[in-house]
Amino acid sequence: MELVSKLAREPWTDRPSCVHPTLSAAARAVHDHSSSAGRRELLPLAPKFIETARPGLEVSARVVALCVSTALAGGDMTQDEAQRLHNAHQTALHLLTGRAEPEGAARWWLPLLGRFGWSEPFYRTFVAAEQVAEAIAVTARQANSDRDRRLRQLLKQCLAAHGALRPGAPTPS
């Protein structure tokens, strides 16, 4: 994210204002769990993050659903992690479809903060960012020998879920 901040001509930070907070959290987590060689392979993705910041619950919920479902598919996690990720997935599905009921703490904070118009910024900046970071940490732990490739692919999928990667457009390997 520091490279993105420089490319966007923002002050040096790992949280540039031009990047969607949930995508930024995904990128930081992937970076943190990648090897040195894997981090270098992430560099070509940096320009894709510029100008992704926009309000709304949909992008955050899609990125959370993607990262959490990837982690849950791996199966190797503690019971507490599985419960938190399940709750995160249910909340993301609720935000995307309105059908599934939010679970965990979201049952109380979504309606409460929603009355004041605060649920959207709270979700995308804090809740979704933490859920994505945990899901990526679990995925990294499960990936073993092909961790860098799997994490890079997940980050590309997060960008695609946001719409930052156009379908059919070439993506850096």
Side-chain angles (χ1 to χ4, degrees):
M1 287 294 93
E2 290 95 347
L3 175 59
V4 173
S5 70
K6 283 291 129 197
L7 292 173
R9 298 195 166 126
E10 289 190 21
W12 184 262
T13 179
D14 67 348
R15 288 174 172 75
S17 63
C18 67
V19 179
H20 192 282
T22 309
L23 282 176
S24 182
R28 285 190 307 276
V30 166
H31 179 272
D32 291 349
H33 293 285
S34 295
S35 68
S36 295
R39 289 180 181 135
R40 283 190 298 277
E41 293 174 6
L42 297 173
L43 293 175
L45 293 175
K48 304 290 185 192
F49 287 91
I50 298 172
E51 300 305 324
T52 57
R54 62 179 184 232
L57 291 166
E58 185 179 352
V59 168
S60 295
R62 280 190 300 203
V63 172
V64 167
L66 170 66
C67 292
V68 167
S69 63
T70 300
L72 289 171
D76 182 25
M77 66 192 81
T78 69
Q79 187 174 359
D80 286 345
E81 287 171 330
Q83 185 62 52
R84 282 191 305 274
L85 292 176
H86 170 77
N87 291 347
H89 197 253
Q90 288 302 109
T91 299
L93 292 178
H94 169 74
L95 294 171
L96 288 169
T97 67
R99 289 185 285 235
E101 287 301 314
E103 294 192 11
R107 287 182 302 208
W108 64 266
W109 67 257
L110 264 172
L112 177 67
L113 295 179
R115 288 185 216 144
F116 304 102
W118 297 341
S119 59
E120 185 269 336
F122 180 71
Y123 180 71
R124 74 186 184 115
T125 305
F126 299 108
V127 176
E130 287 297 317
Q131 292 170 339
V132 162
E134 180 173 23
I136 289 171
V138 168
T139 300
R141 192 176 67 232
Q142 296 165 342
N144 298 325
S145 63
D146 69 339
R147 180 181 64 208
D148 288 338
R149 184 194 60 78
R150 287 188 63 198
L151 292 177
R152 187 175 59 254
Q153 186 60 35
L154 180 56
L155 189 56
K156 288 179 184 180
Q157 291 171 332
C158 289
L159 283 163
H162 175 277
L165 293 178
R166 295 181 319 279
T171 59
S173 352

